[in-house]
């Protein structure tokens, strides 16, 4: 609760489709502030490290391959209650289950190619933000 920071990734499917700007606009229109952003093409090792909590899941290898198929755009967003607000804006992990008007419902193709990632808890954000950004790359606003 209160002002939070969260790690959002515009995933390779969304960057490839040319909808990264539209997705980032959704967050800005909701009043979230961009504190950091960059475009990176992850290596397999980098993707595997980011998703290490999922290493026992059947989809882990495929997810890591998907995340390396092209560049993605990790960002740090800040705002009141940012973690749950971002999750509401994204919609359910599976776009088929995502509510109308959510980012995944509009832009995602499948549960794997689901356009966007957002930290699921403060603990996840505390791991995920420094995974991509050091302190000097995150602007206070
Ligand atoms: P994300 O929010 O980035 O967190 C983990 C990711 O794993 C998730 O979004 C999906 O892209 C992917 N994922 C989750 N469940 C499945 C699944 N059942 N099959 C394939 N990919 C999945």
């Amino acid at each position: 609760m209160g002002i939070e920071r969260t790690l959002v990734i515009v995933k390779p499917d969304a960057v490839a489709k040319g909808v990264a700007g539209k997705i980032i606009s959704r967050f800005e229109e909701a009043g979230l502030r961009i504190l950091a952003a960059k475009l990176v093409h992850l290596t397999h090792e980098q993707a595997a490290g980011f998703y290490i909590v999922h290493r026992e899941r059947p989809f882990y290898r495929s997810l890591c391959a998907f995340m390396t198929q092209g560049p993605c755009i990790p960002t740090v967003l800040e705002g009141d209650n940012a973690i749950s607000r971002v999750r509401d804006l994204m919609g359910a992990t599976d776009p088929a289950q995502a509510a109308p008007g959510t980012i995944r419902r509009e832009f995602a193709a499948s549960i794997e190619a689901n356009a966007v990632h957002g930290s699921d808890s403060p603990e996840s954000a505390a791991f995920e933000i420094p995974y991509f950004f050091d302190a000097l790359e995150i602007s206070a606003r």
Side-chain angles (χ1 to χ4, degrees), residues 119-133:
S119 304
D120 66 5
S121 64
E123 295 71 29
S124 297
F127 168 74
E128 293 177 356
I129 291 171
Y131 194 85
F132 283 105
F133 298 99

Side-chain angles (χ1 to χ4, degrees), residues 9 11 50-51 53-54 57-60 62-63 66-67 87 90 93-94 104 110-120 128:
I9 304 175
K11 293 188 180 183
F50 180 75
Y51 280 121
V53 294
H54 295 307
R57 303 286 200 93
F59 56 80
Y60 181 62
S62 176
L63 172 63
F66 161 70
M67 287 299 289
R87 293 179 68 76
M90 292 192 303
T93 305
D94 181 354
R104 285 170 171 153
S110 69
I111 194 167
E112 179 172 270
N114 66 351
V116 69
H117 166 85
S119 304
D120 66 5
E128 293 177 356

Side-chain angles (χ1 to χ4, degrees), residues 27-82:
F27 297 119
E28 291 186 309
E29 284 161 7
L32 293 151
R33 295 178 293 278
I34 302 172
L35 302 191
K38 60 187 165 192
L39 184 135
V40 287
H41 194 153
L42 296 177
T43 64
H44 189 85
E45 246 182 15
Q46 289 167 336
F50 180 75
Y51 280 121
I52 193 75
V53 294
H54 295 307
R55 67 188 175 281
E56 307 294 346
R57 303 286 200 93
F59 56 80
Y60 181 62
R61 281 184 73 83
S62 176
L63 172 63
C64 294
F66 161 70
M67 287 299 289
T68 64
Q69 75 182 17
C72 64
I73 304 178
T75 70
V76 178
L77 301 184
E78 183 179 73
D80 203 34
N81 231 358

